[in-house]
């Protein structure tokens, strides 16, 4: 007797021991949620650095020279009501109150703006600069209290701590928004797909518990691999998508088999042997693709990969264990309570009527259809050739964050308080005087260029052992501007070699927001070919092993590259131009956020395996009965189309919600994923794949031949419906 696949054995055990399986899953989720109570370990800017700017940050961290965080309070008179005396009184009140706070180490003298209408009070936050955002609220409270006392003046507070606190608060609000929207939207879509409330709730329940468990596991992992800030959002995004997809595949097949007269356990076993196998292969493809991100040697990618792998692995495990247990325990209650109209339309496991109509011209004229579809996809992909990369910086975040709105006012009044570059010089202690002299010459030359802000002599900071020296050079231009980038290149290519480069043994590095963006984008561009090549190779191996066919693997790569390329092209059209700014609520900086393309490619390649594995498995299942490839494609796609359509609508809806969030990187990620899934599910699986497989014929399964189905395999294949017969007769 042939040993049953592990998916079938797991399903049978769970179905025959439902309470044990359900209790074990509940305990697992509760334990994971308990681990999350300690929170996530967040990454520091030093840990996120790359290249020269990363070395500069690391040097300062090693020497305990990370600059103290300074919050700037700008006090301005309203137009046509300048009252310097009142502004001076307000500045004294702010200084006195700030000086009394334990969270403040020092308060600077008030500095009047050149226009005489504003005054600036610098306040240094006490404690570790890397956690200053956690201690900034008392300073904000002081400003609020003083504002109430001087209603005729405007008070703005901005600085690294208040900006980071504002961004964190916005991220939290976005996370809650995504969660509150994605759950009811997914539940509604599932109700439409199943026509019954309990059946709709089971996939959502599995997805939510998978997300919760993965969050807890990530909290543990973040102690070793710190969270750069995006991982919890990514776990929610991926978990809701794949968690619903996997349970949808499984649940649909089990209900179909029960509707054909199978008993409950047999139906679950058949679902495990077919859809369960597809879930395992799909999950493995996603995990393998995400693992390629570790080659980037970048904390952001490594953290995102780990979080995604965790939630996918948990979702796969849940669909193979607790889902069969729930199906066994619920029994006929899975189809209760029924939603009258939706149940009549979708609740009886009928094949979608419009898919055969879509397939009819595709299968009759496969060559013409393939050429037209591929041409359209390549046209969509063409704009991706102009892809530009930039890290998200302070100018890309929404001005609904108060500290960022204040930042704009601050830099208008005091340009030197805006974007600045940190020049870090390391040299032997005996060269300290020469380094100081060279830095002075560097400052003079920099201020002779209009790329740098006119300012007083930059303050030189030196390490206790006289080996590290630091100055800050400000530029009056926004961080995302070409001028700010040019100022970095001027320093690196001209000014530093002409000054610091003349000191024997001295080594220099430039850090700061703009150099970080340049170096990070360069690292992504350098690692992109290696990661892409690895994803392609590993995906090919997974497909070959799963289907025993080189052609199936190559076809998967080709069609996935088409959908991914088209999604990239559309992403460039939307975000590198200005026409969609009002629609999506963003301000274009003419580029895509640096980490998005590489991560998007990996995620899309993994997620597209969901549909590809499921559809090709369905086609192969029919082909094993001995029918020709055209009929196998027609029946296989028609039978799987309803599930693929429902799964795609869920994914597109969840991803589209992320496109409505505030931060531009989530807009780009959400829209890119939504567009790619839309193209993948309907254009690739509905047009390109059936046309290509029809043209390949028996060569689809090369080098193997499609084996004839054994008796027990034939029993798994549903009978041909009247709709299928009509379609095939028409094709003939």
């Amino acid at each position: 007797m042939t040993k049953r696949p592990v998916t079938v054995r797991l399903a049978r055990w769970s179905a025959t021991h439902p309470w044990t399986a359900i209790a074990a899953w509940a305990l697992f989720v509760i334990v994971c949620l308990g681990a999350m109570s300690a929170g996530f370990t967040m990454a520091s800017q030093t840990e996120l650095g790359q290249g020269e700017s990363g070395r500069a940050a690391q040097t300062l961290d090693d020497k305990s020279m990370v600059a103290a965080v300074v919050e700037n309070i700008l006090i301005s008179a309203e137009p046509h009501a300048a009252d310097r005396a009142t502004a001076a009184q307000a500045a004294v009140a702010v200084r006195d109150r700030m000086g009394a706070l334990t969270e403040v180490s020092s308060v600077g003298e008030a500095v009047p703006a050149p226009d005489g209408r504003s005054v600036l009070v610098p306040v240094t936050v006490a404690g570790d600069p890397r956690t200053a955002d956690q201690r900034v609220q008392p300073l904000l409270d002081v400003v609020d209290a003083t504002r109430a006392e001087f209603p005729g003046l405007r008070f703005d507070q901005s600085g690294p701590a208040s900006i980071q606190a504002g961004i964190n608060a916005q991220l939290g609000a976005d996370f809650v928004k995504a969660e509150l929207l994605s759950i009811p939207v997914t539940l509604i879509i599932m109700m439409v797909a199943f026509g019954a409330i309990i059946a709709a709730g089971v996939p959502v329940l599995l997805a939510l518990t998978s997300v919760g468990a993965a969050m807890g596991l990530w909290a543990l992992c973040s102690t070793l691999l710190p969270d750069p800030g995006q991982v919890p959002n990514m776990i929610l995004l991926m978990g809701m998508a794949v968690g619903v997809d996997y349970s949808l595949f499984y649940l649909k097949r089990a209900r179909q088999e029960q509707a054909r007269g199978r008993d409950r356990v047999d139906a679950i076993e058949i679902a495990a042997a077919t859809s369960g196998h597809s879930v395992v292969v799909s999950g493995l493809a996603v995990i393998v693709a995400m693992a390629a991100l570790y080659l980037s040697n970048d904390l952001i990618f490594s953290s995102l990969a780990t979080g995604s792998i965790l939630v996918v692995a948990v979702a796969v495990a849940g669909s193979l264990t607790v889902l069969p247990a729930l199906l066994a325990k619920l029994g006929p209650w899975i189809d209760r309570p029924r939603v009258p109209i939706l149940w009549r339309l979708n609740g009886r496991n009928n094949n979608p009527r419009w898919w055969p109509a879509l397939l009819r011209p595709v299968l009759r004229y496969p060559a013409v259809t393939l050429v037209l579809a591929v041409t359209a996809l390549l046209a969509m992909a063409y704009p991706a050739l102009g892809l530009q990369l930039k890290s998200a910086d302070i100018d890309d975040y929404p001005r609904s964050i108060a500290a960022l709105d204040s930042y704009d006012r601050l830099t208008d009044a005091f340009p030197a308080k805006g974007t600045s570059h940190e020049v870090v010089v390391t040299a032997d202690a005996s060269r300290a005087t020469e380094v100081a002299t060279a830095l002075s010459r560097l400052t003079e030359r920099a201020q002779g260029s209009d790329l740098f802000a006119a300012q007083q002599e930059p303050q030189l900071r030196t390490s206790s052992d006289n080996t590290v020296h630091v100055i800050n050079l400000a530029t009056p231009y926004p961080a995302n501007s070409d001028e700010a980038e040019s100022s970095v290149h001027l320093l690196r290519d001209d000014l530093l070699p002409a000054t610091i480069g003349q000191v024997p043994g001295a080594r220099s590095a430039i850090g700061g927001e703009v150099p970080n963006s340049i170096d990070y984008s360069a690292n992504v561009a350098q690692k992109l070919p290696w990661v892409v090549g690895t994803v392609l190779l590993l995906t090919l191996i997974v497909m070959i092993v799963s289907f025993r066919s080189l052609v199936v693997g190559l076809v998967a790569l080709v069609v996935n590259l088409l959908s991914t390329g088209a999604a990239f092209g559309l992403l460039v059209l939307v975000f590198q131009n200005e026409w969609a700014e009002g629609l999506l609520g963003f301000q274009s900086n003419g580029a895509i956020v640096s980490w998005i393309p590489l991560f998007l490619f990996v995620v899309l390649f993994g997620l597209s395996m969901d549909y590809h594995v499921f559809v090709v498995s369905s086609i192969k299942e029919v082909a094993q009965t001995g029918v020709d490839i055209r009929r196998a494609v027609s029946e296989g796609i028609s039978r799987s189309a309803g599930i693929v359509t429902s799964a795609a609508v869920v994914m597109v809806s969840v991803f589209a919600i992320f496109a409505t969030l505030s931060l531009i990187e989530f807009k780009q990620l959400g829209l890119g994923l939504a567009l790619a899934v839309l193209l993948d599910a309907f254009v690739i699986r509905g047009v390109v794949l059936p046309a290509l497989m029809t043209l390949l014929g028996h060569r689809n399964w090369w080098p193997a031949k499609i084996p004839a189905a054994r008796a027990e395999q034939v029993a798994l294949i549903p009978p041909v419906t009247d709709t299928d017969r009509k379609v095939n007769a028409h094709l003939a």
Side-chain angles (χ1 to χ4, degrees):
M1 181 177 177
T2 305
K3 189 175 182 180
R4 293 182 173 184
V6 65
T7 56
V8 177
R9 284 179 280 149
L10 275 174
R12 184 169 187 85
W13 184 90
S14 297
T16 53
H17 303 81
W19 284 121
T20 304
I22 293 170
W25 179 259
L27 180 62
F28 167 68
V29 174
I30 291 171
V31 170
C32 290
L33 289 173
M36 193 172 64
S37 61
F40 307 114
T41 302
M42 304 304 294
S44 66
Q45 288 301 313
T46 300
E47 293 169 312
L48 297 176
Q50 289 287 343
E52 181 182 318
S53 58
R55 292 194 300 273
Q58 190 61 58
T59 298
L60 297 180
D61 193 54
D62 291 342
K63 294 293 183 178
S64 300
M65 292 181 67
V66 177
V69 170
V70 176
E71 287 289 303
N72 295 292
I73 292 84
L74 182 69
I75 305 171
S76 308
E78 292 296 332
H80 311 300
D83 189 339
R84 296 184 182 183
T86 305
Q89 292 175 11
V92 171
V94 167
R95 294 187 73 253
D96 291 344
R97 292 169 181 174
M98 290 291 185
L101 296 177
T102 57
E103 292 83 3
V104 172
S105 63
S106 64
V107 182
E109 293 293 331
V111 181
D115 62 7
R117 288 174 44 195
S118 304
V119 62
L120 180 70
V121 179
V123 180
T124 303
V125 182
D128 187 348
R130 292 169 293 190
T131 58
D133 60 292
Q134 301 172 21
R135 301 184 300 279
V136 75
Q137 188 57 48
L139 283 71
L140 295 169
D141 293 340
V142 164
V143 171
D144 287 340
T146 312
R147 180 184 293 113
E149 187 177 337
F150 295 88
L153 301 175
R154 180 183 179 91
F155 289 76
D156 290 287
Q157 178 176 340
S158 185
S162 56
I163 289 174
Q164 189 59 54
I167 292 174
N168 290 343
Q170 188 65 60
L171 278 171
D174 282 353
F175 185 84
V176 171
K177 176 184 176 181
E179 190 174 29
L180 291 178
L181 287 176
S182 62
I183 294 172
V185 167
T186 304
L187 190 58
I188 291 170
I189 295 169
M190 288 295 96
M191 286 176 62
V192 173
F194 288 108
I197 293 177
I198 293 179
V202 167
V204 177
L205 177 64
L206 179 64
L208 288 175
T209 54
S210 298
V211 168
M215 289 284 192
L217 294 174
W218 170 242
L220 296 175
C221 292
S222 69
T223 59
L224 301 175
L225 196 66
D227 188 345
Q230 302 96 335
V231 178
N233 300 71
M234 190 53 52
I235 289 176
L236 175 63
L237 181 75
M238 293 284 288
M240 290 302 297
V242 301
V244 170
D245 265 18
Y246 295 161
S247 54
L248 178 63
F249 293 164
Y250 204 110
L251 180 54
K252 276 276 191 181
R253 187 57 185 264
R255 290 170 79 243
Q256 287 174 350
E257 295 303 325
Q258 282 190 274
R260 295 186 180 102
R262 312 278 187 186
D263 68 43
R264 196 177 309 162
V265 175
D266 285 346
I268 291 172
E269 283 193 358
I270 293 172
T274 53
S275 296
H277 174 73
S278 297
V279 165
V280 171
V281 175
S282 299
L284 181 61
V286 176
I287 290 171
V288 164
M290 298 305 302
L293 285 174
Y294 292 123
L295 296 176
S296 66
N297 192 32
D298 176 83
L299 179 61
I300 292 179
F301 289 128
S302 297
S303 299
L304 289 171
T306 303
S308 300
I309 288 171
L310 287 173
V311 75
V312 171
V314 171
V316 170
S319 68
L320 298 180
T321 55
V322 72
L323 183 58
L326 287 170
L327 294 178
K329 200 63 190 171
L330 288 169
W333 281 98
I334 193 72
D335 291 328
R336 300 287 191 278
R338 296 174 180 175
V339 182
I341 297 176
L342 297 178
W343 175 258
R344 285 197 298 272
L345 291 174
N346 299 320
R348 301 183 183 184
N349 303 306
N350 296 322
N351 291 328
R353 297 178 181 178
W354 61 277
W355 271 98
L358 175 65
L359 287 171
R360 192 175 300 123
V362 173
L363 300 181
R364 175 173 285 187
Y365 308 106
V368 174
T369 302
L370 184 63
V371 169
L372 292 176
V374 170
T375 301
L377 289 169
L378 291 176
M380 293 182 200
Y382 179 75
L385 297 176
L387 176 70
Q388 299 292 323
L389 299 179
K390 282 186 180 179
S391 294
D393 54 44
I394 198 169
D395 297 304
D396 295 318
Y397 291 114
R399 266 38 195 176
S400 56
I401 299 174
L404 291 174
D405 183 55
S406 295
Y407 172 84
D408 293 338
R409 298 177 183 277
L410 172 68
T411 53
D412 284 342
F414 295 87
K417 295 295 182 180
T419 306
S420 66
H421 314 315
E422 208 164 32
V423 181
V424 181
V425 181
T426 304
D428 189 87
S430 61
R431 302 283 184 182
T433 302
E434 295 176 68
V435 170
T437 302
L439 285 173
S440 179
R441 293 201 307 272
L442 171 66
T443 301
E444 291 175 3
R445 292 195 177 198
Q447 293 186 348
S449 167
D450 58 5
L451 292 175
F452 293 91
Q455 58 184 23
Q456 296 177 345
E457 184 73 17
Q459 184 178 1
L460 174 65
R461 294 186 289 126
T462 304
S463 63
S464 58
D465 59 2
N466 283 334
T467 60
V468 177
H469 313 264
V470 187
I471 62 169
N472 283 74
L473 295 175
T475 175
Y477 300 102
N480 62 5
S481 65
D482 292 337
E483 291 85 355
E485 188 171 323
S486 296
S487 68
V488 175
H489 294 308
L490 178 63
L491 280 173
R492 288 178 171 175
D493 301 337
D494 184 6
L495 300 183
L496 280 171
T499 53
I500 303 302
Q502 305 306 307
V503 179
R507 301 183 305 278
S508 62
I510 304 176
E513 189 174 6
V514 182
N516 283 342
S517 177
I518 294 172
D519 295 338
Y520 194 87
S521 299
N523 181 66
V524 171
Q526 180 185 7
K527 299 296 174 60
L528 183 63
W530 294 100
V531 175
V532 169
T534 302
V535 169
L536 295 177
L537 177 61
L538 294 178
T539 302
L540 179 63
I541 292 172
V542 169
M543 296 303 293
I544 291 174
V545 171
S546 301
F547 288 95
R548 305 292 192 270
S549 168
L550 176 61
V551 174
V552 168
L554 292 175
V555 167
L557 297 192
V558 170
V559 297
N560 289 343
L561 282 172
L562 282 172
S563 63
T564 303
F568 273 39
L570 295 176
L571 198 66
V572 168
L573 280 177
V574 171
F575 287 100
Q576 287 189 195
N577 296 286
E578 300 177 355
W579 64 270
E581 288 181 335
L583 182 64
L584 294 177
F586 72 95
Q587 183 174 346
S588 175
N589 64 0
I592 304 298
V593 176
S594 298
W595 63 271
I596 293 292
L598 184 55
F599 185 72
L600 190 63
F601 174 84
V602 173
V603 171
L604 290 178
F605 233 80
L607 290 182
S608 63
M609 288 297 104
D610 274 4
Y611 307 132
H612 195 81
V613 169
F614 191 75
V615 172
V616 175
S617 296
S618 181
I619 294 171
K620 183 178 180 181
E621 190 178 328
V622 177
Q624 285 178 313
T625 62
V627 302
D628 62 65
I629 189 62
R630 183 174 294 190
R631 178 176 170 183
V633 169
S634 173
E635 293 183 18
I637 291 181
S638 294
R639 288 169 180 164
S640 61
I643 303 175
V644 169
T645 302
S646 299
V649 171
V650 169
M651 277 199 179
V652 170
S653 300
V654 172
F655 295 154
I657 289 171
F658 273 72
T660 68
L661 301 186
S662 302
L663 303 189
I664 192 168
E665 53 257 62
F666 289 118
K667 289 182 181 293
Q668 293 179 356
L669 183 65
L671 186 64
L673 288 170
L675 290 172
V677 170
L678 200 61
L679 291 170
D680 194 76
F682 296 102
V683 179
I684 296 295
R685 311 306 158 198
V687 179
V688 175
L689 181 64
L692 186 54
M693 292 190 74
T694 300
L695 290 172
L696 289 171
H698 66 276
R699 292 181 292 273
N700 279 292
W701 321 110
W702 188 88
K705 293 183 178 180
I706 190 72
R710 299 189 299 271
E712 61 269 25
Q713 288 176 319
V714 173
L716 300 181
I717 302 173
V720 180
T721 66
D722 290 338
T723 301
D724 294 331
R725 291 191 183 95
K726 291 177 182 177
V727 171
N728 292 314
H730 187 79
L731 289 172

